[in-house]
Amino acid sequence: MTPPTGIPDRTLFWGMALSQLIGWGTVYVPFPLLVGPMEAELGWSRVLLNGGFTAGLLASGLAAVPAGRWLDRHGPRAMMNSGMLAAALLLLAMSLVHQPAAYVLVWVLIGVVQAMCLWTTAMAVVVAEARDVTRTVTAITFVTGFTATLFIPLTGAMIDLFGWRGALRALAALQLAGFALTVFTLRQARGPVPGAMRRNGPGLWARLQQPAFLGLALCFAAHAFISTGLGAHLIPLLRERGWPEATVLLLAAAHGPCQVAARALMFAAGRRVTMRAVGRFATALLPVAMLALALGRDSLALTIVFVLCFAMGDGLLTIVRSAGSAEILGREGFGAISGALSAVSMLPRTAAPLLIALVWEGAGGYGPVPWMLAAVGLLAAAGFIAAARPR
């Protein structure tokens, strides 16, 4: 059903794409670049610095469902606008920290803010407002796919020029631009449907127990484990295989362009494909990619197959996570449902780098890791197939 007049799709696309690019580029992407200079100046351990970041991720997961429920009840304007403004203030606060407790507290609050205004909530707004959800989400992912490409060198340059504290203040100023974009975009947002929370349909807890939700939860949790784990370990895994450094970096860097290419094909296909079909294809690519990685220890060709399959599956699942969930579960109450899916994925997302490191240490190398990831990929595919089954 086409939603009533609200934010035009073009405005929704540009506003959400640019505000999300800035939001993730200021509060998430810069962290690895900040660790070194913060460690050098403050004398804190790397465990503490990473622990604060992890606490923020966990806080984001815990806050996702309440944020989604607020969105369903009250609409997006107050929560997203205040979240984007709070993100700028928290970046400024981070630039002033001198005590570990304050550092961890700021990261926890940043995690709450992420749940209020970044990807999960933004995509719930797109699902509620867009006339063509799939094409709008796909177009937004084109822009946000360049977040790291833009903000890693930008943050590095700002650290070189201003130091890490000055860089955080500059990022806070950029985040204010994201706040302004969000205010402009949401000025035409529709409010919640009157009486929406009093409908006779199943409540949130009942919906969370439905087979379709459980299948999607399994799929996205497994995908989060794979993508975060490989994000932390792919380069050392490839180095262990003895490839030249230039080859290792080229293989790792190819992930982004392959993601964008898959999304471009998805955008071109338009309404000729359903999200169920795209999800089945994308999740099937995950175990294929991991098997190619497992079998391709001495084969550059199989390693390239891994890169292509994993990047395509990863890129498409970003779209399926929003548009596919809406197609399978429906738009009603999608804020809370999307928040629940995000919360379920948070533990595997935060645990994956540590668990893979423990496997590496126990095995004396990365040998078992691709086989483990292939099994997790099969779980993702099985979960989506179960969720997409007609009912």
Side-chain angles (χ1 to χ4, degrees):
M1 181 176 68
T2 302
T5 301
I7 307 173
D9 278 9
R10 187 180 296 274
T11 302
L12 190 63
F13 157 61
W14 283 111
M16 288 293 104
L18 293 175
S19 64
Q20 293 300 296
L21 177 109
I22 294 171
W24 286 107
T26 56
V27 304
Y28 185 84
V29 169
F31 173 72
L33 299 173
L34 295 168
V35 170
M38 291 180 78
E39 186 179 26
E41 178 185 324
L42 299 170
W44 298 346
S45 71
R46 192 155 297 192
V47 172
L48 170 62
L49 291 168
N50 283 275
F53 182 70
T54 302
L57 293 177
L58 292 173
S60 176
L62 292 173
V65 174
R69 290 176 70 87
W70 172 278
L71 181 70
D72 292 334
R73 285 192 173 103
H74 305 290
R77 281 192 293 265
M79 184 175 70
M80 288 198 71
N81 290 341
S82 60
M84 294 295 282
L85 178 59
L89 297 176
L90 288 167
L91 286 168
L92 180 60
M94 184 70 78
S95 75
L96 301 173
V97 297
H98 289 89
Q99 299 298 325
Y103 169 79
V104 174
L105 176 60
V106 170
W107 267 121
V108 169
L109 295 175
I110 287 176
V112 174
V113 163
Q114 288 177 349
M116 291 171 63
C117 64
L118 291 187
W119 188 257
T120 298
T121 302
M123 291 304 99
V125 172
V126 173
V127 166
E129 296 282 341
R131 282 77 178 159
D132 191 332
V133 174
T134 299
R135 288 177 70 83
T136 305
V137 171
T138 304
I140 289 170
T141 63
F142 288 156
V143 176
T144 57
F146 292 99
T147 304
T149 305
L150 290 173
F151 275 87
I152 287 177
L154 178 62
T155 303
M158 289 192 296
I159 291 172
D160 290 340
L161 286 172
F162 311 126
W164 69 269
R165 294 185 187 274
L168 281 168
R169 291 167 190 147
L171 291 170
L174 284 174
Q175 177 59 25
L176 287 175
F179 164 66
L181 278 167
T182 304
V183 171
F184 174 80
T185 303
L186 296 180
R187 76 195 191 285
Q188 295 177 290
R190 295 176 296 114
V193 178
M197 301 308 295
R198 299 189 295 274
R199 290 175 180 169
N200 294 324
L204 177 61
W205 179 244
R207 296 194 70 186
L208 298 187
Q209 299 177 70
Q210 292 174 345
F213 174 86
L214 295 174
L216 288 177
L218 174 62
C219 172
F220 298 141
H223 172 236
F225 184 92
I226 292 172
S227 60
T228 308
L230 282 180
H233 290 275
L234 179 59
I235 289 178
L237 186 153
L238 294 175
R239 283 173 177 159
E240 185 179 87
R241 298 185 169 191
W243 302 112
E245 184 68 8
T247 302
V248 167
L249 297 179
L250 182 62
L251 289 169
H255 187 85
C258 291
Q259 277 188 318
V260 172
R263 291 166 182 168
L265 292 173
M266 172 74 212
F267 189 83
R271 293 187 178 90
R272 292 191 294 273
V273 295
T274 66
M275 281 289 97
R276 283 178 167 86
V278 174
R280 291 188 188 101
F281 175 69
T283 53
L285 289 175
L286 293 181
V288 170
M290 299 309 130
L291 285 172
L293 183 64
L295 297 170
R297 182 174 182 85
D298 301 314
S299 170
L300 183 59
L302 281 176
T303 305
I304 292 172
V305 169
F306 153 73
V307 170
L308 291 173
C309 290
F310 176 50
M312 290 177 64
D314 196 31
L316 292 173
L317 278 168
T318 303
I319 301 168
V320 172
R321 169 69 179 76
S322 301
S325 297
E327 181 179 295
I328 292 170
L329 300 174
R331 292 190 180 194
E332 183 181 340
F334 189 75
I337 292 294
S338 183
L341 288 171
S342 179
V344 169
S345 298
M346 192 53 59
L347 184 58
R349 186 186 307 279
T350 55
L354 175 60
L355 182 58
I356 291 176
L358 292 173
V359 172
W360 170 82
E361 184 176 0
Y366 284 105
V369 168
W371 296 104
M372 178 181 72
L373 296 179
V376 176
L378 286 172
L379 288 176
F384 191 85
I385 290 169
R389 187 178 298 124
R391 289 175 174 82

